[in-house]
Amino acid sequence: MSGRAQLMWDEGLTAYDFGAGHPMDPVRLALTMRLVEAFGLDRAVEVVAAKPAGESTLRLVHRRDYIEAVRRASADPASADGSYGLGTIDDPAFAGMHEASALIAGQSVAAAESVWRGDALHAVNFSGGLHHAMPGGAAGFCVYNDAALAIARLLEMGAERVAYVDVDVHHGDGVQAAFWDDPRVLTMSLHEHPRTLFPQTGWPEETGGERAPGGAVNVALPAGTGDAGWLRAYHAVVPELLAAFRPQVLVTQHGADTHVEDPLAHLTVTVDAQRAVAESCHELAHEHADGRWIALGGGGYAVVDVVPRTWTHLVAIAAGRPVAPEAEVPEEWGHEVYRRTRQSAPRRMTDGRSPQWRDFGEWGYDPGDRLDQAILATRRAVFPHHGLLP
């Protein structure tokens, strides 16, 4: 198996563009790649531009009638009337939408193929992680569910146990739905509580279908949760379940919208905690999946200050060339930020925090703490299915 990491990138990925004023601004992808290059990380990985996902690949998750609807809306955006979730405020139709969406999906599927075949140990597609798309509809800025497609391709190639960890601020509902009743896939999502955030799913009681009890894991975090609570919840749930499940591949989704500056949600996490979770996912892939790791992007709408730094850290970790948090952002990248956005770039790769958390097993449970109530609700709902004590 090659120890080299792959970075899936094609400038055409920035064509996934819902238009002026939409939160999913493709500048976040371009600025991330430029920051990766400014740190020389593009020379530490193999940069691969994969082909768009074809019809047969998209059909691994999505219905034929939905794919045809995307094609029609892509050719004639004005015809999209809200059916299939296309032409809505969240998912306005745009010319070339099918092609751009299929290109993103193609990168994640190719990443899965490379890792499974052993051509790469790690693969990153930060343009991916579009976890809300359903088999028969678009939702939440997501047209094709590249994360689910990557997992489905791994299963098609012979994988028997795939674990998916989603740390986006929103529930990974589309991936959960795709594998709800499949015991070969363990989906784990840590997200803001559904009472206060789209898509209003991801309750701890959602634990999988009849054939896959315990196959879905949901940690619903109280609004306002910051670094210490976020990391406490992650470490209280994810490592033990991965150890019990013994995945052959780890697929992770690193939406940057947990950040305190994100305009669409209510957690108060920093880039430093996001980096810590990326490091943990890397370590857990080596500990439980022979290093096979596919890392995806996701949400993130602080497109200058947060997303490029968080995902550059992700690429750097996968490349084995981690960027020190205190590192200064390269000057040329700051010029590029200003040229594209007329905003000032952040100065360093840190928010100035050194995240610490209290281990749930070591410190125990505080029955009066809303975060601990959320952690215990998840552990009680899921852990017994895996032979673990809550």
Side-chain angles (χ1 to χ4, degrees), residues 36-296:
V36 165
E37 292 166 345
F39 276 109
L41 296 169
D42 56 321
R43 299 189 296 276
V45 297
E46 180 186 4
V47 179
V48 176
K51 290 190 264 188
E55 179 90 11
S56 62
T57 297
L58 294 172
R59 287 286 306 281
L60 291 173
V61 169
H62 295 290
R63 296 198 320 245
R64 184 191 299 273
D65 60 315
Y66 172 57
I67 298 168
E68 290 173 353
V70 175
R71 289 184 185 276
R72 288 194 301 272
S74 182
D76 181 12
S79 69
D81 59 3
S83 58
Y84 295 98
L86 302 169
T88 63
I89 292 175
D90 277 0
D91 296 273
F94 60 91
M97 179 172 63
H98 166 77
E99 291 77 11
S101 303
L103 185 61
I104 290 174
Q107 307 312 304
S108 293
V109 170
E113 292 170 346
S114 289
V115 168
W116 184 250
R117 289 174 178 152
D119 297 334
L121 192 58
H122 311 323
V124 180
N125 175 24
F126 58 73
S127 74
L130 304 181
H131 58 172
H132 294 307
M134 293 291 177
F141 313 162
C142 306
V143 177
Y144 293 139
N145 195 320
D146 65 285
L149 287 164
I151 295 169
R153 180 65 176 130
L154 288 167
L155 299 177
E156 187 180 51
M157 294 178 76
E160 297 173 347
R161 294 181 309 281
V162 180
Y164 172 74
V165 176
D166 187 321
V167 296
D168 192 288
V169 78
H170 302 91
H171 177 224
D173 57 340
V175 184
Q176 174 178 288
F179 304 105
W180 179 252
D181 216 21
D182 192 330
R184 298 172 296 175
V185 182
L186 176 67
T187 64
M188 292 188 264
S189 178
L190 286 83
H191 47 266
E192 185 179 329
H193 201 286
R195 283 198 192 96
T196 54
L197 195 66
F198 174 91
Q200 282 79 52
T201 57
W203 299 80
E205 296 80 14
E206 297 171 34
T207 58
E210 289 184 6
R211 291 187 298 169
V217 183
N218 289 290
V219 186
L221 301 167
T225 298
D227 288 0
W230 194 62
L231 292 169
R232 177 170 167 82
Y234 169 89
H235 286 284
V237 173
V238 173
E240 284 184 74
L241 287 172
L242 285 181
F245 187 69
R246 298 179 298 111
Q248 294 163 300
V249 189
L250 179 61
V251 181
T252 57
Q253 196 269 22
H254 297 265
D257 43 10
T258 51
H259 196 274
V260 61
E261 292 181 16
D262 197 90
L264 300 188
H266 318 98
L267 298 190
T268 57
V269 173
T270 68
V271 165
D272 301 290
Q274 292 172 337
R275 180 182 185 273
V277 161
E279 287 182 325
S280 175
C281 288
H282 178 225
E283 292 166 3
L284 290 170
H286 281 282
E287 188 172 345
H288 300 298
D290 293 325
R292 297 187 192 93
W293 182 34
I294 299 150
L296 309 173

